[in-house]
mmCIF file with all atom_site columns, all heavy atoms in Angstrom:
data_model
loop_
_atom_site.group_PDB
_atom_site.id
_atom_site.type_symbol
_atom_site.label_atom_id
_atom_site.label_alt_id
_atom_site.label_comp_id
_atom_site.label_asym_id
_atom_site.label_entity_id
_atom_site.label_seq_id
_atom_site.pdbx_PDB_ins_code
_atom_site.Cartn_x
_atom_site.Cartn_y
_atom_site.Cartn_z
_atom_site.occupancy
_atom_site.B_iso_or_equiv
_atom_site.pdbx_formal_charge
_atom_site.auth_seq_id
_atom_site.auth_comp_id
_atom_site.auth_asym_id
_atom_site.auth_atom_id
_atom_site.pdbx_PDB_model_num
ATOM 1   N N   . VAL N 1 1  ? 45.239 -175.774 124.008 1.00 99.00 ? 1  VAL N N   1
ATOM 2   C CA  . VAL N 1 1  ? 46.457 -175.354 124.600 1.00 99.00 ? 1  VAL N CA  1
ATOM 3   C C   . VAL N 1 1  ? 47.601 -175.322 123.592 1.00 99.00 ? 1  VAL N C   1
ATOM 4   O O   . VAL N 1 1  ? 48.361 -174.434 123.542 1.00 99.00 ? 1  VAL N O   1
ATOM 5   C CB  . VAL N 1 1  ? 46.904 -176.365 125.812 1.00 99.00 ? 1  VAL N CB  1
ATOM 6   C CG1 . VAL N 1 1  ? 48.215 -176.125 126.268 1.00 99.00 ? 1  VAL N CG1 1
ATOM 7   C CG2 . VAL N 1 1  ? 45.849 -176.316 126.965 1.00 99.00 ? 1  VAL N CG2 1
ATOM 8   N N   . ALA N 1 2  ? 47.682 -176.387 122.723 1.00 98.00 ? 2  ALA N N   1
ATOM 9   C CA  . ALA N 1 2  ? 48.667 -176.295 121.547 1.00 98.00 ? 2  ALA N CA  1
ATOM 10  C C   . ALA N 1 2  ? 48.489 -175.127 120.694 1.00 98.00 ? 2  ALA N C   1
ATOM 11  O O   . ALA N 1 2  ? 49.432 -174.482 120.258 1.00 98.00 ? 2  ALA N O   1
ATOM 12  C CB  . ALA N 1 2  ? 48.639 -177.682 121.014 1.00 98.00 ? 2  ALA N CB  1
ATOM 13  N N   . ALA N 1 3  ? 47.251 -174.853 120.340 1.00 98.00 ? 3  ALA N N   1
ATOM 14  C CA  . ALA N 1 3  ? 46.972 -173.764 119.519 1.00 98.00 ? 3  ALA N CA  1
ATOM 15  C C   . ALA N 1 3  ? 47.491 -172.494 120.205 1.00 98.00 ? 3  ALA N C   1
ATOM 16  O O   . ALA N 1 3  ? 48.148 -171.631 119.395 1.00 98.00 ? 3  ALA N O   1
ATOM 17  C CB  . ALA N 1 3  ? 45.482 -173.523 119.371 1.00 98.00 ? 3  ALA N CB  1
ATOM 18  N N   . TYR N 1 4  ? 47.309 -172.155 121.323 1.00 98.00 ? 4  TYR N N   1
ATOM 19  C CA  . TYR N 1 4  ? 47.673 -170.989 121.925 1.00 98.00 ? 4  TYR N CA  1
ATOM 20  C C   . TYR N 1 4  ? 49.219 -170.862 122.339 1.00 98.00 ? 4  TYR N C   1
ATOM 21  O O   . TYR N 1 4  ? 49.663 -169.734 122.307 1.00 98.00 ? 4  TYR N O   1
ATOM 22  C CB  . TYR N 1 4  ? 46.839 -170.599 123.367 1.00 98.00 ? 4  TYR N CB  1
ATOM 23  C CG  . TYR N 1 4  ? 45.525 -170.110 123.039 1.00 98.00 ? 4  TYR N CG  1
ATOM 24  C CD1 . TYR N 1 4  ? 44.342 -170.743 123.456 1.00 98.00 ? 4  TYR N CD1 1
ATOM 25  C CD2 . TYR N 1 4  ? 45.268 -169.056 122.056 1.00 98.00 ? 4  TYR N CD2 1
ATOM 26  C CE1 . TYR N 1 4  ? 43.137 -170.258 123.216 1.00 98.00 ? 4  TYR N CE1 1
ATOM 27  C CE2 . TYR N 1 4  ? 44.025 -168.599 121.890 1.00 98.00 ? 4  TYR N CE2 1
ATOM 28  C CZ  . TYR N 1 4  ? 42.925 -169.300 122.468 1.00 98.00 ? 4  TYR N CZ  1
ATOM 29  O OH  . TYR N 1 4  ? 41.629 -168.750 122.130 1.00 98.00 ? 4  TYR N OH  1
ATOM 30  N N   . THR N 1 5  ? 49.763 -171.976 122.716 1.00 98.00 ? 5  THR N N   1
ATOM 31  C CA  . THR N 1 5  ? 51.139 -172.002 123.082 1.00 98.00 ? 5  THR N CA  1
ATOM 32  C C   . THR N 1 5  ? 52.291 -172.320 122.098 1.00 98.00 ? 5  THR N C   1
ATOM 33  O O   . THR N 1 5  ? 53.405 -171.964 122.220 1.00 98.00 ? 5  THR N O   1
ATOM 34  C CB  . THR N 1 5  ? 51.386 -173.030 124.287 1.00 98.00 ? 5  THR N CB  1
ATOM 35  O OG1 . THR N 1 5  ? 51.046 -174.311 123.904 1.00 98.00 ? 5  THR N OG1 1
ATOM 36  C CG2 . THR N 1 5  ? 50.498 -172.532 125.445 1.00 98.00 ? 5  THR N CG2 1
ATOM 37  N N   . ARG N 1 6  ? 51.823 -172.823 120.845 1.00 98.00 ? 6  ARG N N   1
ATOM 38  C CA  . ARG N 1 6  ? 52.824 -173.290 119.960 1.00 98.00 ? 6  ARG N CA  1
ATOM 39  C C   . ARG N 1 6  ? 52.880 -172.147 118.885 1.00 98.00 ? 6  ARG N C   1
ATOM 40  O O   . ARG N 1 6  ? 52.253 -171.122 118.892 1.00 98.00 ? 6  ARG N O   1
ATOM 41  C CB  . ARG N 1 6  ? 52.478 -174.578 119.307 1.00 98.00 ? 6  ARG N CB  1
ATOM 42  C CG  . ARG N 1 6  ? 52.359 -175.692 120.399 1.00 98.00 ? 6  ARG N CG  1
ATOM 43  C CD  . ARG N 1 6  ? 53.533 -176.398 120.682 1.00 98.00 ? 6  ARG N CD  1
ATOM 44  N NE  . ARG N 1 6  ? 54.088 -177.174 119.396 1.00 98.00 ? 6  ARG N NE  1
ATOM 45  C CZ  . ARG N 1 6  ? 53.438 -178.511 119.244 1.00 98.00 ? 6  ARG N CZ  1
ATOM 46  N NH1 . ARG N 1 6  ? 52.654 -178.946 119.909 1.00 98.00 ? 6  ARG N NH1 1
ATOM 47  N NH2 . ARG N 1 6  ? 53.965 -179.094 118.087 1.00 98.00 ? 6  ARG N NH2 1
ATOM 48  N N   . SER N 1 7  ? 53.636 -172.393 117.870 1.00 98.00 ? 7  SER N N   1
ATOM 49  C CA  . SER N 1 7  ? 53.893 -171.431 116.824 1.00 98.00 ? 7  SER N CA  1
ATOM 50  C C   . SER N 1 7  ? 52.559 -170.906 116.157 1.00 98.00 ? 7  SER N C   1
ATOM 51  O O   . SER N 1 7  ? 51.598 -171.690 115.923 1.00 98.00 ? 7  SER N O   1
ATOM 52  C CB  . SER N 1 7  ? 54.691 -172.146 115.595 1.00 98.00 ? 7  SER N CB  1
ATOM 53  O OG  . SER N 1 7  ? 54.589 -171.267 114.408 1.00 98.00 ? 7  SER N OG  1
ATOM 54  N N   . GLN N 1 8  ? 52.566 -169.621 115.928 1.00 98.00 ? 8  GLN N N   1
ATOM 55  C CA  . GLN N 1 8  ? 51.340 -168.745 115.380 1.00 98.00 ? 8  GLN N CA  1
ATOM 56  C C   . GLN N 1 8  ? 51.501 -168.717 113.911 1.00 98.00 ? 8  GLN N C   1
ATOM 57  O O   . GLN N 1 8  ? 50.710 -167.934 113.267 1.00 98.00 ? 8  GLN N O   1
ATOM 58  C CB  . GLN N 1 8  ? 51.166 -167.625 116.037 1.00 98.00 ? 8  GLN N CB  1
ATOM 59  C CG  . GLN N 1 8  ? 50.948 -167.595 117.644 1.00 98.00 ? 8  GLN N CG  1
ATOM 60  C CD  . GLN N 1 8  ? 49.778 -168.487 118.040 1.00 98.00 ? 8  GLN N CD  1
ATOM 61  O OE1 . GLN N 1 8  ? 48.705 -168.147 117.761 1.00 98.00 ? 8  GLN N OE1 1
ATOM 62  N NE2 . GLN N 1 8  ? 49.985 -169.608 118.746 1.00 98.00 ? 8  GLN N NE2 1
ATOM 63  N N   . GLU N 1 9  ? 52.416 -169.419 113.246 1.00 98.00 ? 9  GLU N N   1
ATOM 64  C CA  . GLU N 1 9  ? 52.609 -169.159 111.759 1.00 98.00 ? 9  GLU N CA  1
ATOM 65  C C   . GLU N 1 9  ? 51.379 -169.609 111.022 1.00 98.00 ? 9  GLU N C   1
ATOM 66  O O   . GLU N 1 9  ? 51.045 -169.023 110.033 1.00 98.00 ? 9  GLU N O   1
ATOM 67  C CB  . GLU N 1 9  ? 53.791 -170.061 111.405 1.00 98.00 ? 9  GLU N CB  1
ATOM 68  C CG  . GLU N 1 9  ? 54.260 -169.812 109.936 1.00 98.00 ? 9  GLU N CG  1
ATOM 69  C CD  . GLU N 1 9  ? 55.459 -170.702 109.563 1.00 98.00 ? 9  GLU N CD  1
ATOM 70  O OE1 . GLU N 1 9  ? 56.131 -171.280 110.401 1.00 98.00 ? 9  GLU N OE1 1
ATOM 71  O OE2 . GLU N 1 9  ? 55.630 -170.932 108.268 1.00 98.00 ? 9  GLU N OE2 1
ATOM 72  N N   . CYS N 1 10 ? 50.679 -170.655 111.463 1.00 98.00 ? 10 CYS N N   1
ATOM 73  C CA  . CYS N 1 10 ? 49.507 -171.156 110.782 1.00 98.00 ? 10 CYS N CA  1
ATOM 74  C C   . CYS N 1 10 ? 48.445 -170.017 110.744 1.00 98.00 ? 10 CYS N C   1
ATOM 75  O O   . CYS N 1 10 ? 47.673 -169.970 109.815 1.00 98.00 ? 10 CYS N O   1
ATOM 76  C CB  . CYS N 1 10 ? 48.906 -172.354 111.479 1.00 98.00 ? 10 CYS N CB  1
ATOM 77  S SG  . CYS N 1 10 ? 48.640 -172.214 113.136 1.00 98.00 ? 10 CYS N SG  1
ATOM 78  N N   . VAL N 1 11 ? 48.329 -169.232 111.871 1.00 98.00 ? 11 VAL N N   1
ATOM 79  C CA  . VAL N 1 11 ? 47.375 -168.276 111.898 1.00 98.00 ? 11 VAL N CA  1
ATOM 80  C C   . VAL N 1 11 ? 47.619 -167.203 110.758 1.00 98.00 ? 11 VAL N C   1
ATOM 81  O O   . VAL N 1 11 ? 46.670 -166.667 110.123 1.00 98.00 ? 11 VAL N O   1
ATOM 82  C CB  . VAL N 1 11 ? 47.356 -167.605 113.245 1.00 98.00 ? 11 VAL N CB  1
ATOM 83  C CG1 . VAL N 1 11 ? 46.329 -166.395 113.316 1.00 98.00 ? 11 VAL N CG1 1
ATOM 84  C CG2 . VAL N 1 11 ? 47.004 -168.647 114.333 1.00 98.00 ? 11 VAL N CG2 1
ATOM 85  N N   . GLU N 1 12 ? 48.812 -166.840 110.662 1.00 98.00 ? 12 GLU N N   1
ATOM 86  C CA  . GLU N 1 12 ? 49.314 -165.800 109.702 1.00 98.00 ? 12 GLU N CA  1
ATOM 87  C C   . GLU N 1 12 ? 49.013 -166.343 108.184 1.00 98.00 ? 12 GLU N C   1
ATOM 88  O O   . GLU N 1 12 ? 48.614 -165.580 107.270 1.00 98.00 ? 12 GLU N O   1
ATOM 89  C CB  . GLU N 1 12 ? 50.725 -165.399 109.898 1.00 98.00 ? 12 GLU N CB  1
ATOM 90  C CG  . GLU N 1 12 ? 51.316 -164.252 108.868 1.00 98.00 ? 12 GLU N CG  1
ATOM 91  C CD  . GLU N 1 12 ? 50.398 -163.015 109.017 1.00 98.00 ? 12 GLU N CD  1
ATOM 92  O OE1 . GLU N 1 12 ? 49.651 -162.722 109.733 1.00 98.00 ? 12 GLU N OE1 1
ATOM 93  O OE2 . GLU N 1 12 ? 50.714 -162.238 107.973 1.00 98.00 ? 12 GLU N OE2 1
ATOM 94  N N   . GLN N 1 13 ? 49.348 -167.531 108.052 1.00 98.00 ? 13 GLN N N   1
ATOM 95  C CA  . GLN N 1 13 ? 49.160 -168.029 106.642 1.00 98.00 ? 13 GLN N CA  1
ATOM 96  C C   . GLN N 1 13 ? 47.780 -168.161 106.278 1.00 98.00 ? 13 GLN N C   1
ATOM 97  O O   . GLN N 1 13 ? 47.453 -167.737 105.140 1.00 98.00 ? 13 GLN N O   1
ATOM 98  C CB  . GLN N 1 13 ? 49.686 -169.618 106.723 1.00 98.00 ? 13 GLN N CB  1
ATOM 99  C CG  . GLN N 1 13 ? 51.163 -169.664 106.707 1.00 98.00 ? 13 GLN N CG  1
ATOM 100 C CD  . GLN N 1 13 ? 51.682 -171.168 106.820 1.00 98.00 ? 13 GLN N CD  1
ATOM 101 O OE1 . GLN N 1 13 ? 50.760 -172.066 107.075 1.00 98.00 ? 13 GLN N OE1 1
ATOM 102 N NE2 . GLN N 1 13 ? 52.917 -171.373 106.533 1.00 98.00 ? 13 GLN N NE2 1
ATOM 103 N N   . MET N 1 14 ? 46.818 -168.495 107.165 1.00 98.00 ? 14 MET N N   1
ATOM 104 C CA  . MET N 1 14 ? 45.402 -168.448 106.868 1.00 98.00 ? 14 MET N CA  1
ATOM 105 C C   . MET N 1 14 ? 44.916 -166.949 106.655 1.00 98.00 ? 14 MET N C   1
ATOM 106 O O   . MET N 1 14 ? 44.049 -166.634 105.769 1.00 98.00 ? 14 MET N O   1
ATOM 107 C CB  . MET N 1 14 ? 44.502 -169.172 108.070 1.00 98.00 ? 14 MET N CB  1
ATOM 108 C CG  . MET N 1 14 ? 44.745 -170.604 107.963 1.00 98.00 ? 14 MET N CG  1
ATOM 109 S SD  . MET N 1 14 ? 43.665 -171.576 109.154 1.00 98.00 ? 14 MET N SD  1
ATOM 110 C CE  . MET N 1 14 ? 44.641 -171.607 110.562 1.00 98.00 ? 14 MET N CE  1
ATOM 111 N N   . ARG N 1 15 ? 45.382 -166.056 107.519 1.00 98.00 ? 15 ARG N N   1
ATOM 112 C CA  . ARG N 1 15 ? 45.053 -164.672 107.364 1.00 98.00 ? 15 ARG N CA  1
ATOM 113 C C   . ARG N 1 15 ? 45.409 -164.046 106.051 1.00 98.00 ? 15 ARG N C   1
ATOM 114 O O   . ARG N 1 15 ? 44.647 -163.415 105.389 1.00 98.00 ? 15 ARG N O   1
ATOM 115 C CB  . ARG N 1 15 ? 45.743 -163.776 108.593 1.00 98.00 ? 15 ARG N CB  1
ATOM 116 C CG  . ARG N 1 15 ? 45.199 -162.384 108.634 1.00 98.00 ? 15 ARG N CG  1
ATOM 117 C CD  . ARG N 1 15 ? 46.131 -161.520 109.294 1.00 98.00 ? 15 ARG N CD  1
ATOM 118 N NE  . ARG N 1 15 ? 47.300 -161.200 108.582 1.00 98.00 ? 15 ARG N NE  1
ATOM 119 C CZ  . ARG N 1 15 ? 47.470 -160.392 107.637 1.00 98.00 ? 15 ARG N CZ  1
ATOM 120 N NH1 . ARG N 1 15 ? 46.448 -159.677 107.232 1.00 98.00 ? 15 ARG N NH1 1
ATOM 121 N NH2 . ARG N 1 15 ? 48.609 -160.243 106.973 1.00 98.00 ? 15 ARG N NH2 1
ATOM 122 N N   . LEU N 1 16 ? 46.593 -164.475 105.574 1.00 98.00 ? 16 LEU N N   1
ATOM 123 C CA  . LEU N 1 16 ? 47.007 -164.010 104.246 1.00 98.00 ? 16 LEU N CA  1
ATOM 124 C C   . LEU N 1 16 ? 46.182 -164.573 103.101 1.00 98.00 ? 16 LEU N C   1
ATOM 125 O O   . LEU N 1 16 ? 45.837 -163.845 102.264 1.00 98.00 ? 16 LEU N O   1
ATOM 126 C CB  . LEU N 1 16 ? 48.474 -164.494 104.045 1.00 98.00 ? 16 LEU N CB  1
ATOM 127 C CG  . LEU N 1 16 ? 49.601 -163.624 104.788 1.00 98.00 ? 16 LEU N CG  1
ATOM 128 C CD1 . LEU N 1 16 ? 50.931 -164.333 104.734 1.00 98.00 ? 16 LEU N CD1 1
ATOM 129 C CD2 . LEU N 1 16 ? 49.598 -162.210 104.283 1.00 98.00 ? 16 LEU N CD2 1
ATOM 130 N N   . ALA N 1 17 ? 45.676 -165.878 103.317 1.00 98.00 ? 17 ALA N N   1
ATOM 131 C CA  . ALA N 1 17 ? 44.773 -166.360 102.373 1.00 98.00 ? 17 ALA N CA  1
ATOM 132 C C   . ALA N 1 17 ? 43.455 -165.738 102.293 1.00 98.00 ? 17 ALA N C   1
ATOM 133 O O   . ALA N 1 17 ? 42.970 -165.398 101.307 1.00 98.00 ? 17 ALA N O   1
ATOM 134 C CB  . ALA N 1 17 ? 44.680 -167.970 102.575 1.00 98.00 ? 17 ALA N CB  1
ATOM 135 N N   . PHE N 1 18 ? 42.925 -165.469 103.449 1.00 98.00 ? 18 PHE N N   1
ATOM 136 C CA  . PHE N 1 18 ? 41.676 -164.672 103.693 1.00 98.00 ? 18 PHE N CA  1
ATOM 137 C C   . PHE N 1 18 ? 41.819 -163.314 103.038 1.00 98.00 ? 18 PHE N C   1
ATOM 138 O O   . PHE N 1 18 ? 40.869 -162.775 102.373 1.00 98.00 ? 18 PHE N O   1
ATOM 139 C CB  . PHE N 1 18 ? 41.185 -164.585 105.070 1.00 98.00 ? 18 PHE N CB  1
ATOM 140 C CG  . PHE N 1 18 ? 40.683 -165.908 105.708 1.00 98.00 ? 18 PHE N CG  1
ATOM 141 C CD1 . PHE N 1 18 ? 41.068 -166.275 106.910 1.00 98.00 ? 18 PHE N CD1 1
ATOM 142 C CD2 . PHE N 1 18 ? 39.729 -166.672 104.940 1.00 98.00 ? 18 PHE N CD2 1
ATOM 143 C CE1 . PHE N 1 18 ? 40.631 -167.574 107.382 1.00 98.00 ? 18 PHE N CE1 1
ATOM 144 C CE2 . PHE N 1 18 ? 39.217 -167.866 105.578 1.00 98.00 ? 18 PHE N CE2 1
ATOM 145 C CZ  . PHE N 1 18 ? 39.732 -168.285 106.715 1.00 98.00 ? 18 PHE N CZ  1
ATOM 146 N N   . GLU N 1 19 ? 42.906 -162.638 103.269 1.00 98.00 ? 19 GLU N N   1
ATOM 147 C CA  . GLU N 1 19 ? 43.038 -161.386 102.694 1.00 98.00 ? 19 GLU N CA  1
ATOM 148 C C   . GLU N 1 19 ? 43.094 -161.406 101.114 1.00 98.00 ? 19 GLU N C   1
ATOM 149 O O   . GLU N 1 19 ? 42.519 -160.538 100.442 1.00 98.00 ? 19 GLU N O   1
ATOM 150 C CB  . GLU N 1 19 ? 44.347 -160.706 103.202 1.00 98.00 ? 19 GLU N CB  1
ATOM 151 C CG  . GLU N 1 19 ? 44.600 -159.266 102.786 1.00 98.00 ? 19 GLU N CG  1
ATOM 152 C CD  . GLU N 1 19 ? 45.734 -158.582 103.501 1.00 98.00 ? 19 GLU N CD  1
ATOM 153 O OE1 . GLU N 1 19 ? 46.527 -159.219 103.974 1.00 98.00 ? 19 GLU N OE1 1
ATOM 154 O OE2 . GLU N 1 19 ? 45.633 -157.233 103.504 1.00 98.00 ? 19 GLU N OE2 1
ATOM 155 N N   . ARG N 1 20 ? 43.717 -162.396 100.612 1.00 98.00 ? 20 ARG N N   1
ATOM 156 C CA  . ARG N 1 20 ? 43.776 -162.562 99.106  1.00 98.00 ? 20 ARG N CA  1
ATOM 157 C C   . ARG N 1 20 ? 42.375 -162.788 98.600  1.00 98.00 ? 20 ARG N C   1
ATOM 158 O O   . ARG N 1 20 ? 41.935 -162.223 97.601  1.00 98.00 ? 20 ARG N O   1
ATOM 159 C CB  . ARG N 1 20 ? 44.677 -163.683 98.857  1.00 98.00 ? 20 ARG N CB  1
ATOM 160 C CG  . ARG N 1 20 ? 44.828 -163.870 97.233  1.00 98.00 ? 20 ARG N CG  1
ATOM 161 C CD  . ARG N 1 20 ? 45.524 -165.172 96.913  1.00 98.00 ? 20 ARG N CD  1
ATOM 162 N NE  . ARG N 1 20 ? 44.720 -166.326 97.100  1.00 98.00 ? 20 ARG N NE  1
ATOM 163 C CZ  . ARG N 1 20 ? 44.975 -167.330 98.032  1.00 98.00 ? 20 ARG N CZ  1
ATOM 164 N NH1 . ARG N 1 20 ? 46.121 -167.190 98.782  1.00 98.00 ? 20 ARG N NH1 1
ATOM 165 N NH2 . ARG N 1 20 ? 44.157 -168.348 98.188  1.00 98.00 ? 20 ARG N NH2 1
ATOM 166 N N   . ARG N 1 21 ? 41.681 -163.602 99.294  1.00 98.00 ? 21 ARG N N   1
ATOM 167 C CA  . ARG N 1 21 ? 40.274 -163.866 98.959  1.00 98.00 ? 21 ARG N CA  1
ATOM 168 C C   . ARG N 1 21 ? 39.326 -162.680 99.084  1.00 98.00 ? 21 ARG N C   1
ATOM 169 O O   . ARG N 1 21 ? 38.424 -162.446 98.171  1.00 98.00 ? 21 ARG N O   1
ATOM 170 C CB  . ARG N 1 21 ? 39.600 -165.001 99.808  1.00 98.00 ? 21 ARG N CB  1
ATOM 171 C CG  . ARG N 1 21 ? 40.267 -166.380 99.480  1.00 98.00 ? 21 ARG N CG  1
ATOM 172 C CD  . ARG N 1 21 ? 40.026 -167.323 100.520 1.00 98.00 ? 21 ARG N CD  1
ATOM 173 N NE  . ARG N 1 21 ? 40.581 -168.659 100.328 1.00 98.00 ? 21 ARG N NE  1
ATOM 174 C CZ  . ARG N 1 21 ? 40.350 -169.711 101.155 1.00 98.00 ? 21 ARG N CZ  1
ATOM 175 N NH1 . ARG N 1 21 ? 39.508 -169.528 102.179 1.00 98.00 ? 21 ARG N NH1 1
ATOM 176 N NH2 . ARG N 1 21 ? 40.869 -170.826 100.933 1.00 98.00 ? 21 ARG N NH2 1
ATOM 177 N N   . ARG N 1 22 ? 39.463 -161.880 100.092 1.00 98.00 ? 22 ARG N N   1
ATOM 178 C CA  . ARG N 1 22 ? 38.846 -160.563 100.355 1.00 98.00 ? 22 ARG N CA  1
ATOM 179 C C   . ARG N 1 22 ? 39.006 -159.782 99.051  1.00 98.00 ? 22 ARG N C   1
ATOM 180 O O   . ARG N 1 22 ? 38.044 -159.233 98.515  1.00 98.00 ? 22 ARG N O   1
ATOM 181 C CB  . ARG N 1 22 ? 39.397 -159.936 101.583 1.00 98.00 ? 22 ARG N CB  1
ATOM 182 C CG  . ARG N 1 22 ? 38.656 -158.485 101.951 1.00 98.00 ? 22 ARG N CG  1
ATOM 183 C CD  . ARG N 1 22 ? 39.067 -157.452 101.399 1.00 98.00 ? 22 ARG N CD  1
ATOM 184 N NE  . ARG N 1 22 ? 40.527 -157.050 101.456 1.00 98.00 ? 22 ARG N NE  1
ATOM 185 C CZ  . ARG N 1 22 ? 41.105 -156.262 102.326 1.00 98.00 ? 22 ARG N CZ  1
ATOM 186 N NH1 . ARG N 1 22 ? 40.379 -155.583 103.167 1.00 98.00 ? 22 ARG N NH1 1
ATOM 187 N NH2 . ARG N 1 22 ? 42.421 -156.059 102.299 1.00 98.00 ? 22 ARG N NH2 1
ATOM 188 N N   . ASP N 1 23 ? 40.299 -159.530 98.681  1.00 98.00 ? 23 ASP N N   1
ATOM 189 C CA  . ASP N 1 23 ? 40.620 -158.690 97.575  1.00 98.00 ? 23 ASP N CA  1
ATOM 190 C C   . ASP N 1 23 ? 39.897 -159.256 96.276  1.00 98.00 ? 23 ASP N C   1
ATOM 191 O O   . ASP N 1 23 ? 39.322 -158.474 95.501  1.00 98.00 ? 23 ASP N O   1
ATOM 192 C CB  . ASP N 1 23 ? 42.081 -158.707 97.286  1.00 98.00 ? 23 ASP N CB  1
ATOM 193 C CG  . ASP N 1 23 ? 42.787 -157.895 98.430  1.00 98.00 ? 23 ASP N CG  1
ATOM 194 O OD1 . ASP N 1 23 ? 42.095 -157.193 99.218  1.00 98.00 ? 23 ASP N OD1 1
ATOM 195 O OD2 . ASP N 1 23 ? 44.119 -158.075 98.536  1.00 98.00 ? 23 ASP N OD2 1
ATOM 196 N N   . LEU N 1 24 ? 39.863 -160.625 96.095  1.00 98.00 ? 24 LEU N N   1
ATOM 197 C CA  . LEU N 1 24 ? 39.229 -161.195 94.907  1.00 98.00 ? 24 LEU N CA  1
ATOM 198 C C   . LEU N 1 24 ? 37.824 -160.962 94.906  1.00 98.00 ? 24 LEU N C   1
ATOM 199 O O   . LEU N 1 24 ? 37.184 -160.558 93.910  1.00 98.00 ? 24 LEU N O   1
ATOM 200 C CB  . LEU N 1 24 ? 39.609 -162.679 94.934  1.00 98.00 ? 24 LEU N CB  1
ATOM 201 C CG  . LEU N 1 24 ? 38.871 -163.533 93.813  1.00 98.00 ? 24 LEU N CG  1
ATOM 202 C CD1 . LEU N 1 24 ? 39.306 -163.099 92.486  1.00 98.00 ? 24 LEU N CD1 1
ATOM 203 C CD2 . LEU N 1 24 ? 39.179 -165.054 94.072  1.00 98.00 ? 24 LEU N CD2 1
ATOM 204 N N   . ILE N 1 25 ? 37.012 -161.237 95.996  1.00 98.00 ? 25 ILE N N   1
ATOM 205 C CA  . ILE N 1 25 ? 35.572 -161.079 96.015  1.00 98.00 ? 25 ILE N CA  1
ATOM 206 C C   . ILE N 1 25 ? 35.155 -159.675 95.906  1.00 98.00 ? 25 ILE N C   1
ATOM 207 O O   . ILE N 1 25 ? 34.096 -159.372 95.283  1.00 98.00 ? 25 ILE N O   1
ATOM 208 C CB  . ILE N 1 25 ? 35.027 -161.891 97.228  1.00 98.00 ? 25 ILE N CB  1
ATOM 209 C CG1 . ILE N 1 25 ? 33.572 -162.178 97.044  1.00 98.00 ? 25 ILE N CG1 1
ATOM 210 C CG2 . ILE N 1 25 ? 35.207 -161.045 98.537  1.00 98.00 ? 25 ILE N CG2 1
ATOM 211 C CD1 . ILE N 1 25 ? 32.930 -163.106 97.951  1.00 98.00 ? 25 ILE N CD1 1
#
């Protein structure tokens, strides 16, 4: 419930990290 109803900033931070790693690999 907290994951879905609170700030989604953490989701975007992780997405950006995955994108950087995608580019690297």
Side-chain angles (χ1 to χ4, degrees):
V1 171
Y4 283 127
T5 59
R6 304 269 291 279
S7 168
Q8 301 300 297
E9 189 184 339
C10 57
V11 177
E12 178 61 9
Q13 285 174 347
M14 288 187 272
R15 190 198 69 80
L16 287 169
F18 286 132
E19 187 168 20
R20 186 189 69 245
R21 294 166 177 183
R22 186 274 310 257
D23 293 344
L24 174 64
I25 199 168

